[in-house]
Amino acid sequence: MLPLQSKRIVLGVTGSIACYKAADLASKLTQLGAEVDVILTGAAQHFIKPLTFQSVTGRRTYVDQDLWGPEGHVLHVKLGKDADLLLIAPATANTLAKLAAGQADNLLTLTALAATAPLMLAPAMDGGMYDHPATQASLDTLRARGAQIHGPVSGHLASGLSGVGRMLEPAELAGHARVALGASGPLAGRRVLVTAGGTQEPIDPVRVIANRSSGKQGYALAQAALDMGAQVTLVSGPTALTPPVGAEFVRVQTAVEMRNAVLAHAAGADMLLMAAAVADFRPSNAANKKIKRAEGVPTVELAANPDILKEVSQQAGKPRLLVGFAAESNDLLANAQGKLASKGLDMIVANDVSAQDAGFEVDTNRVILLTKDGAQEELPLLSKYEVARKVLEKALSLLK
Ligand code: PMT
């Protein structure tokens, strides 16, 4: 299942050099499964052609001439009413002023008046135009009416100057769109705490004991929970991944730091999903200077790390549902069942890591969901995002 399947987005594109980024945004939203209806203003068409958007969305792109075509009397109403989100990116100072004034002199602004969906705006313009009191007043008016405004951000501007005025990057805007479109999903009103990635345990300032976890499964859980409407906190060990837009993000390095972060965020959470590969041991005395080869082979003495899940399960005010993961290369079910019981969990995701296409680092996973009532659900090979959706659906059914 694609995250934005069956969602309709009207993407309004107005006359700014950032139009070229709007094509990437349209492509990203389409790849996420949304049906994207693009409306170009006349000024936008000086920068970019309808064919560009038709090519990436696979759908017709609308321009002002369509207002006067055979369906002209209903087109803006239909586009507006069918939309789940009206996203205008880039939004120029001129279009912001028109929207604030309720002016409707082109297909996009007419559609905005007819739309009942949430309005999301990504302003893009020169820094001076953005700072102008007229533009700021338009933004204040639109914000007060409930519009979500994301960006602009600081950086190089087309004028050659540097300042605030650049449109937010398409990947971030797509993230905001996911949050807005998921807001009324099945996890709306729920707080979900997710851990991801492997912990690193320092041996000295340069070296660590680490493991192969990339964080992909945990980040997919956080993103899927956001797509389903949850308020998400993601506690992550070091990874190369970008945290999902909309999640509260807590970066940690060691198991002890992860424990502290999890305990600090556990109270009041509806569920804790521990996809992290937490190191069970750490060097008991990390050297504070780099250990030199010339000093000979060192002996690294280890101390036990806290068992985070076990500790949380014994806390008053713990999350209502505790979900662990167990990456196993042999005796998958027996080992996972042992951890389910010994850690006081409601569910464990038994993760077969013996195959090339499952477990650490890869984009797919193969898991069995075990619940404390003894039930088992074996899932086929799925993307880590699909696994995340299934885990969350199961967890939600247990919560209910
Ligand atoms: O990050 P990826 O590359 O996408 O890989 C995903 C994954 C394979 C890491 C993930 O799907 C997974 O299986 N995570 C659990 C790893 C594991 O084997 O954990 P464990 O068996 O050591 O621990 C069992 C459970 O207890 C886990 O939920 C773990 O987070 C938790 N634990 C472990 C040790 C510890 N000291 N405290 C804990 O709370």
Side-chain angles (χ1 to χ4, degrees):
M1 181 210 176
L2 289 169
L4 296 184
Q5 206 162 305
S6 78
K7 300 289 183 190
R8 286 191 85 139
I9 300 174
V10 169
L11 174 62
V13 180
T14 70
S16 152
I17 181 59
C19 281
Y20 79 92
K21 291 190 193 173
D24 185 22
L25 176 59
S27 169
K28 284 189 161 57
L29 294 170
T30 304
Q31 288 175 55
L32 287 167
E35 291 177 3
V36 184
D37 289 319
V38 178
I39 304 176
L40 296 182
T41 63
Q45 284 183 77
H46 289 289
F47 289 97
I48 197 158
K49 298 288 164 222
L51 183 61
T52 307
F53 290 96
Q54 271 158 215
S55 305
V56 295
T57 63
R59 295 169 70 80
R60 176 177 165 191
T61 291
Y62 298 91
V63 294
D64 283 345
Q65 284 88 321
D66 295 318
L67 257 179
W68 313 110
E71 40 177 8
H73 61 297
V74 286
L75 181 59
H76 57 291
V77 177
K78 181 165 170 35
L79 283 168
K81 292 274 180 273
D82 287 351
D84 296 302
L85 177 69
L86 172 57
L87 167 57
I88 304 184
T92 58
N94 183 44
T95 292
L96 294 174
K98 287 184 191 176
L99 293 171
Q103 221 177 305
D105 65 349
N106 60 23
L107 180 57
L108 177 60
T109 47
L110 271 166
T111 304
L113 274 191
T116 48
L119 173 63
M120 188 175 283
L121 300 163
M125 65 201 73
D126 194 55
M129 293 170 72
Y130 177 67
D131 288 339
H132 195 284
T135 306
Q136 289 301 315
S138 301
L139 288 167
D140 288 344
T141 302
L142 291 162
R143 212 177 271 117
R145 264 187 225 147
Q148 287 188 39
I149 296 157
H150 297 297
V153 290
S154 189
H156 173 79
L157 302 173
S159 61
L161 300 173
S162 194
V164 178
R166 283 175 71 86
M167 190 177 91
L168 207 61
E169 290 305 315
E172 266 194 81
L173 286 172
H176 286 296
R178 288 174 83 153
V179 173
L181 289 164
S184 56
L187 287 175
R190 307 279 190 181
R191 270 197 55 213
V192 174
L193 178 55
V194 179
T195 68
T199 62
Q200 292 184 353
E201 311 297 328
I203 297 170
D204 68 12
V206 177
R207 304 170 180 98
V208 293
I209 297 177
N211 63 63
R212 287 176 48 211
S213 172
S214 64
K216 286 180 182 174
Q217 185 61 75
Y219 278 56
L221 275 166
Q223 181 64 71
L226 286 162
D227 290 341
M228 293 167 77
Q231 190 190 328
V232 175
T233 302
L234 173 60
V235 177
S236 172
T239 72
L241 304 175
T242 305
V245 172
E248 180 190 11
F249 185 67
V250 185
R251 166 76 79 204
V252 296
Q253 186 191 7
T254 63
V256 170
E257 287 172 13
M258 185 168 277
R259 168 203 173 266
N260 294 343
V262 168
L263 290 181
H265 291 87
D270 289 284
M271 47 178 109
L272 166 62
L273 303 132
M274 289 269 315
V278 185
D280 278 314
F281 306 101
R282 66 175 182 278
S284 33
N285 291 305
N288 53 18
K289 288 206 181 82
K290 184 178 175 186
I291 299 168
K292 297 284 179 225
R293 186 186 172 92
E295 290 161 10
V297 179
T299 302
V300 179
E301 197 179 304
L302 298 178
N305 269 329
D307 185 328
I308 304 172
L309 266 177
K310 198 167 185 173
E311 203 174 323
V312 173
S313 74
Q314 289 160 358
Q315 297 272 317
K318 63 181 178 188
R320 291 174 56 205
L321 199 84
L322 297 180
V323 180
F325 277 67
E328 307 291 345
S329 55
N330 55 294
D331 299 327
L332 177 66
L333 286 179
N335 286 330
Q337 259 147 1
K339 288 176 184 171
L340 174 73
S342 70
K343 290 174 187 265
L345 308 179
D346 300 287
M347 172 159 96
I348 195 150
V349 181
N351 201 159
D352 178 0
V353 294
S354 61
Q356 295 280 322
D357 52 8
F360 295 105
E361 294 164 324
V362 292
D363 292 327
T364 48
N365 214 349
R366 190 181 283 107
V367 302
I368 304 173
L369 310 183
L370 306 179
T371 46
K372 71 174 175 195
D373 59 6
Q376 286 181 22
E377 185 182 342
E378 187 166 350
L379 301 179
L381 184 71
L382 296 171
S383 71
K384 283 186 172 166
Y385 181 79
E386 288 166 323
V387 167
R389 291 290 291 226
K390 298 274 184 205
V391 168
L392 287 163
E393 280 159 19
K394 186 72 173 181
L396 182 59
S397 74
L398 296 176
L399 260 190
K400 284 176 176 165

